[in-house]
Amino acid sequence: MAEMIPTPERMKRSQRPMPEQDPKKRVCNFDEVPLGYTTEDAIYEAQRCLQCKPAPCVEGCPAEIHIPQFILKIVEEGFASAYLEILKTNSLPTMCGRVCPQEEQCQRACVYNKMGKPISIGRLERFVSDWARKHDTKEKLPDSKKKSKLVAVVGSGPAGLTCAADLAKMGYDVTIFEALHKTGGVLTYGIPEFRLPKKIVGYEVDKIKDLGVKIVTDFVVGLTKGVDELAGEFDAIFLANGAGAPQFMHIPGENLNDVYSANEFLTRSNLMKAYKFPEFDTPIKAGKKVVVIGGGNVAMDAARTALRLGAKDVHVVYRRTKEEAPARAEEIAHAEEEGIVFDFLTLPVRILGDEKGNVTGMECIKMRLGEPDESGRRRPLPIEGSNFVMQVDMVICAIGTAANPIVARSATSVQTNKRGYFIVDEKTRATSREGIFAGGDITRGSATVISAIGDGKKAARAIDRYLSSGGSLRKSKK
Amino acid sequence: MYKIITKREIAPNIISLEVAAPLIAKRVKPGQFIILLVDERGERIPVTIADYNRENGRIRIIFQVVGKTTAQLSQMNEGDELFALVGPLGNPSEIDNYGTVVTVGGGTGIASVYPITRELKEAGNRVISIIGAKTRDLIIMEDEIRKASTELLVTTDDGSYARKGFVTEILDEVLQKEKDVKKVWAIGPAPMMKAASEVTKPHGIETIVSLNAIMVDGTGMCGSCRVTVNGETKFVCVDGPEFNGHLVDWPEFMNRLARYEKMEKHSFEAYRKVCGEENG
């Protein structure tokens, strides 16, 4: 068994990097890029932890993971118990270990961060959860009494899965309604295989089913049944249907044939497995010269997918600079390593095409940064006369999503804001209608998996309080 | 789930299926569609709901074999189950008592126009229906449409049955004769819907078309089905599928329908080859 090492020695160590697939090889496959820590890597990294009390890292984690405790168990080589420690608060550890922006959450709060070498909490979480998956480590659930109250969860993404899992552990009878034919929401249709393998998503979903959660697929709340109807059948409802609707730039040429929203491009590739066409039936175009518009993680995912589909040349255009780009630094670095070219301070003004609808180019204008805007970021301003044409044959628009109104339309007295997102109490995720709660992207616009998980946890607690104190949607008069 | 209850080949390569889908059957209205998946590796394809029975919980879909997915679907039998079926999607037709209306169905578009026709007549309209296909064998649902409308006119492109000519020619004649047509529905292949919109435009009669765009999720999430209507981008799945035909950017819509033509052809040919080998 490994042991804690003296503090001065801990401080001397630097962060243990995680092995990754070689960039030249990985652009030819859809396999996962980071390969994960070895046991030795994990212990080495875990030994660096100072076991702070109180632990600032936990404050930075929306999933409230008992971080120092699970890290200590890694040092002690108790990997199964490290996993169970994580599971106490987080039902989706294999995902968080992969796609959370830890550098903005737990690792930013880490005391080592000032020295620029925070504990690699995400990599350790990933190591532990992968170890548990390989060893089929199962959680022993306390025999919480089955409760008779029924809860409906709308959407099987990270917020919905978390809320459902937490409520099921408390003994509630939970049903998730999913519009697509597969579960996982953005984890399934949005995040590519090379960042989050779908068999892992399947594994986590299966575990949640093992808790007794029922999942109904092919059920569009708002069309198959409305929220108001569900309110007559369930005691509480959690709305976590995602933001969903892709935004476009409203520039000429945007409906040419080979202009995709990132949502369409990624859904075809990830959900429908179009990258395996014709083995799978859904087609996808593989442009030769592809340009992706946007600076977020979705833009990186789309660009890197295009490369793997066989594009020779992939550019990302973003109207601000690298500093303002919302994508994780790690994702931008991965994209750069793979040969993706970034054109910062560049704004598309129109897409050019021929009469058959083929894309032949994209006209852009150069930008410069002016004074800060409401978001605090310096406002990009066009440089007059700097227009130029990029020769491209495919354009992917990854400039964000908006609220899809289908669910909200079917929910009487659940208030939304001007942009169509549900208005909620920050702490309880309660909406304006008693018994109905909401979380994830449909309450704040495109955000992170971890913030959705945090919402799911808060909602589960609030739903428990509501139901324990006698509340019931189906029995209440509207 | 989604069990095929009855299957009939109602014309060469045109199949009618009744599928058990109680939740959809309960809520569906004319003009709406479903998305189905034949198997796990399949493509999500939208199909208009041709009929429904709220009592026995069944919906009816009618499709022509045009590619791999429809070919696979045509190989399924009564008792088999679809991998996925979701709906009802899209907005219902705006049914009202307008007075005299014309419904036009071309090819398998006849199946789409049928429930709209029936509902329009039930709402008190005088409904003149025009249906047409390439040739006699491909005229479907003639008796049903006849019953559902006030007056039925049938046409075939080759003159092998009823009148010779396109549905749009008959539509033109009807509009010359009938001076009080309030609204027209025209559903069929894109060139037919475009031509029908051109026929009605000089008469200033509102003309509703139902766009058969390429979709993935069908719930407004991907934008595959976008189309320019009156200069604005709309999503067929959530803003449609019905639009004013006079305002649709038809060249753009038809270009976008052909986006995957080569791949679809490749997929269908590969499937036929494999199936041919298996059967031979």
Side-chain angles (χ1 to χ4, degrees):
Chain A
M1 193 169 92
E3 281 171 3
M4 291 307 280
I5 55 172
T7 305
E9 209 173 308
R10 289 186 217 179
M11 313 250 320
K12 259 188 259 166
R13 285 189 181 180
S14 51
Q15 238 183 355
R16 180 57 67 94
M18 177 161 56
E20 290 181 345
Q21 260 203 84
D22 182 281
K24 282 196 197 88
K25 281 188 193 147
R26 73 190 190 220
V27 297
C28 303
N29 65 51
F30 276 81
D31 298 341
E32 200 173 6
V33 168
L35 301 171
Y37 272 165
T38 62
T39 306
E40 191 266 321
D41 289 336
I43 293 170
Y44 181 93
E45 185 69 16
Q47 281 173 326
R48 291 176 56 221
C49 178
L50 295 171
Q51 295 290 317
C52 307
K53 277 173 200 151
C57 51
V58 180
E59 296 289 308
C61 175
E64 305 155 18
I65 295 175
H66 304 162
I67 296 168
Q69 290 89 330
F70 98 77
I71 290 182
L72 184 61
K73 285 175 173 149
I74 296 176
V75 176
E76 296 166 355
E77 297 186 45
F79 305 129
S81 52
Y83 174 67
L84 298 177
E85 191 66 47
I86 297 174
L87 272 196
K88 283 181 186 168
T89 68
N90 182 9
S91 296
L92 303 169
T94 52
M95 324 249 177
C96 290
R98 285 171 165 83
V99 301
C100 272
Q102 293 99 8
E103 65 280 1
E104 287 168 26
Q105 319 257 357
C106 52
Q107 293 179 194
R108 181 151 80 181
C110 176
V111 291
Y112 278 124
N113 197 34
K114 290 189 195 100
M115 298 153 71
K117 52 171 195 180
I119 302 290
S120 306
I121 300 166
R123 292 170 187 171
L124 291 173
E125 183 182 16
R126 175 187 158 140
F127 167 79
V128 166
S129 55
D130 283 354
W131 187 95
R133 186 164 53 88
K134 276 176 209 134
H135 292 80
D136 203 24
T137 307
K138 291 254 159 68
E139 183 182 16
K140 271 201 203 101
L141 294 169
D143 293 328
S144 56
K145 266 197 201 141
K146 284 283 159 224
K147 299 183 173 80
S148 59
K149 299 228 164 147
L150 310 173
V151 183
V153 172
V154 179
S156 69
L161 288 174
T162 299
C163 185
D166 283 11
L167 287 168
K169 285 182 188 174
M170 296 175 200
Y172 290 104
D173 186 327
V174 187
T175 306
I176 300 180
F177 295 97
E178 167 56 48
L180 293 169
H181 59 281
K182 275 191 203 163
T183 46
V186 73
L187 306 167
T188 297
Y189 74 75
I191 304 177
E193 185 75 18
F194 53 82
R195 246 178 7 106
L196 184 62
K198 299 311 148 211
K199 65 169 189 217
I200 287 176
V201 180
Y203 167 80
E204 295 279 29
V205 170
D206 284 346
K207 275 198 322 185
I208 289 168
K209 282 189 198 161
D210 288 344
L211 298 173
V213 171
K214 285 163 270 185
I215 303 183
V216 182
T217 52
D218 307 315
F219 193 110
V220 187
V221 172
L223 292 171
T224 311
K225 263 187 196 178
V227 172
D228 288 345
E229 265 177 288
L230 293 179
E233 299 170 19
F234 290 86
D235 296 298
I237 299 178
F238 180 52
L239 304 172
N241 48 299
Q247 287 188 310
F248 289 92
M249 299 190 65
H250 306 294
I251 57 173
E254 210 157 37
N255 293 345
L256 287 162
N257 285 0
D258 295 333
V259 181
Y260 282 87
S261 74
N263 263 17
E264 179 185 356
F265 191 68
L266 292 171
T267 301
R268 282 181 182 273
S269 183
N270 302 332
L271 173 74
M272 303 310 296
K273 303 254 182 283
Y275 67 91
K276 291 185 179 172
F277 181 89
E279 191 192 325
F280 282 70
D281 293 334
T282 302
I284 193 166
K285 286 281 182 72
K288 285 190 180 65
K289 290 187 166 187
V290 178
V291 62
V292 179
I293 306 167
N297 288 321
V298 174
M300 302 306 120
D301 285 346
R304 297 172 70 197
T305 297
L307 205 62
R308 282 159 174 77
L309 286 170
K312 296 281 168 285
D313 192 16
V314 181
H315 282 241
V316 171
V317 302
Y318 179 55
R319 64 195 176 125
R320 304 178 197 248
T321 72
K322 195 174 184 172
E323 280 66 52
E324 290 87 18
R328 290 180 74 186
E330 185 184 310
E331 296 310 321
I332 295 180
H334 276 142
E336 282 175 331
E337 284 162 23
E338 291 171 7
I340 287 159
V341 181
F342 286 82
D343 302 306
F344 292 110
L345 292 168
T346 304
L347 180 75
V349 293
R350 93 190 144 117
I351 302 166
L352 309 165
D354 64 19
E355 53 188 43
K356 284 189 170 170
N358 301 309
V359 171
T360 56
M362 185 167 86
E363 185 183 325
C364 300
I365 189 163
K366 284 280 181 194
M367 310 292 279
R368 64 180 172 83
L369 290 184
E371 294 302 310
D373 62 12
E374 319 81 66
S375 72
R377 298 180 299 179
R378 291 177 66 193
R379 190 191 301 273
L381 301 164
I383 302 170
E384 255 180 71
S386 66
N387 297 48
F388 67 100
V389 172
M390 298 175 77
Q391 301 298 325
V392 295
D393 59 10
M394 192 164 131
V395 178
I396 302 169
C397 193
I399 59 162
T401 54
N404 187 329
I406 290 179
V407 173
R409 272 195 314 226
S410 75
T412 310
S413 348
V414 183
Q415 282 171 14
T416 55
N417 66 18
K418 269 187 217 153
R419 293 163 68 209
Y421 297 116
F422 292 118
I423 298 169
V424 290
D425 178 290
E426 201 43 56
K427 283 196 188 107
T428 63
R429 316 309 299 173
T431 67
S432 54
R433 180 163 163 194
E434 201 181 287
I436 299 185
F437 301 77
D441 282 358
I442 196 59
T443 58
R444 57 159 67 83
S446 321
T448 57
V449 169
I450 188 67
S451 57
I453 289 175
D455 291 353
K457 295 195 72 63
K458 285 181 191 163
R461 276 199 284 265
I463 289 170
D464 179 43
R465 274 198 301 275
Y466 168 70
L467 297 176
S468 311
S469 60
S472 167
L473 198 49
R474 64 183 160 142
K475 285 175 195 148
S476 68
K477 282 184 211 133
K478 197 170 69 203
Chain B
M1 282 175 109
Y2 325 124
K3 190 184 264 188
I4 296 172
I5 309 294
T6 68
K7 176 187 176 184
R8 274 196 305 140
E9 186 162 6
I10 56 173
N13 269 332
I14 299 179
I15 318 279
S16 164
L17 297 180
E18 272 187 300
V19 185
L23 287 176
I24 301 174
K26 192 178 164 195
R27 289 182 73 97
V28 60
K29 289 185 177 150
Q32 292 187 295
F33 63 95
I34 51 100
I35 279 189
L36 64 83
L37 261 159
V38 172
D39 61 31
E40 204 176 355
R41 296 183 171 206
E43 188 175 9
R44 292 172 67 97
I45 59 157
V47 186
T48 309
I49 299 169
D51 205 355
Y52 46 87
N53 184 327
R54 303 204 201 278
E55 271 92 61
N56 68 14
R58 294 176 194 174
I59 59 164
R60 185 180 179 199
I61 53 170
I62 290 173
F63 61 93
Q64 185 162 23
V65 176
V66 290
K68 182 180 172 185
T69 303
T70 44
Q72 280 178 302
L73 195 55
S74 75
Q75 296 299 311
M76 296 183 81
N77 293 309
E78 291 174 3
D80 290 348
E81 289 182 4
L82 297 170
F83 180 72
L85 179 69
V86 62
L89 303 175
N91 299 297
S93 309
E94 276 179 37
I95 306 290
D96 204 342
N97 190 355
Y98 298 99
T100 300
V101 295
V102 179
T103 62
V104 188
T108 49
I110 298 170
S112 307
V113 100
Y114 166 66
I116 301 169
T117 302
R118 187 180 60 196
E119 202 87 344
L120 281 166
K121 194 179 166 201
E122 273 170 23
N125 292 280
R126 175 170 166 254
V127 188
I128 302 168
S129 291
I130 305 167
I131 62 170
K134 276 187 187 139
T135 187
R136 176 179 194 137
D137 286 352
L138 298 176
I139 294 282
I140 57 169
M141 302 181 87
E142 188 183 345
D143 292 343
E144 283 139 300
I145 297 258
R146 193 181 306 280
K147 220 185 278 173
S149 51
T150 317
E151 190 183 330
L152 173 68
L153 301 157
V154 184
T155 165
T156 50
D157 297 358
D158 64 359
S160 55
Y161 178 62
R163 287 272 309 268
K164 179 176 167 27
F166 296 122
V167 283
T168 44
E169 289 164 8
I170 312 267
L171 175 63
D172 199 24
E173 281 174 26
V174 168
L175 296 185
Q176 299 294 344
K177 205 171 67 185
E178 298 280 342
K179 292 297 166 206
D180 206 26
V181 173
K182 291 290 193 300
K183 203 163 173 171
V184 173
W185 267 261
I187 307 178
M192 178 226 121
M193 293 193 282
K194 175 176 181 269
S197 303
E198 280 159 7
V199 166
T200 57
K201 199 163 184 192
H203 297 273
I205 302 168
E206 189 186 358
T207 300
I208 303 298
V209 295
S210 179
L211 301 180
N212 51 329
I214 299 173
M215 296 183 188
V216 185
D217 62 289
T219 61
M221 211 183 81
C222 82
S224 171
C225 63
R226 63 195 191 277
V227 55
T228 304
V229 180
N230 203 17
E232 267 182 63
T233 294
K234 297 282 180 191
F235 286 8
V236 173
C237 64
V238 288
D239 300 319
E242 295 190 350
F243 293 100
N244 182 335
H246 298 151
L247 304 177
V248 171
D249 181 336
W250 290 103
E252 176 192 277
F253 177 69
M254 288 196 255
N255 277 340
R256 287 186 65 81
L257 272 183
R259 269 193 297 164
Y260 298 107
E261 218 166 33
K262 273 187 204 157
M263 297 175 88
E264 285 161 358
K265 215 175 139 194
H266 170 86
S267 202
F268 193 20
E269 275 165 12
Y271 173 75
R272 275 198 289 207
K273 214 171 148 190
V274 171
C275 280
E277 278 165 15
E278 275 174 7
N279 294 336

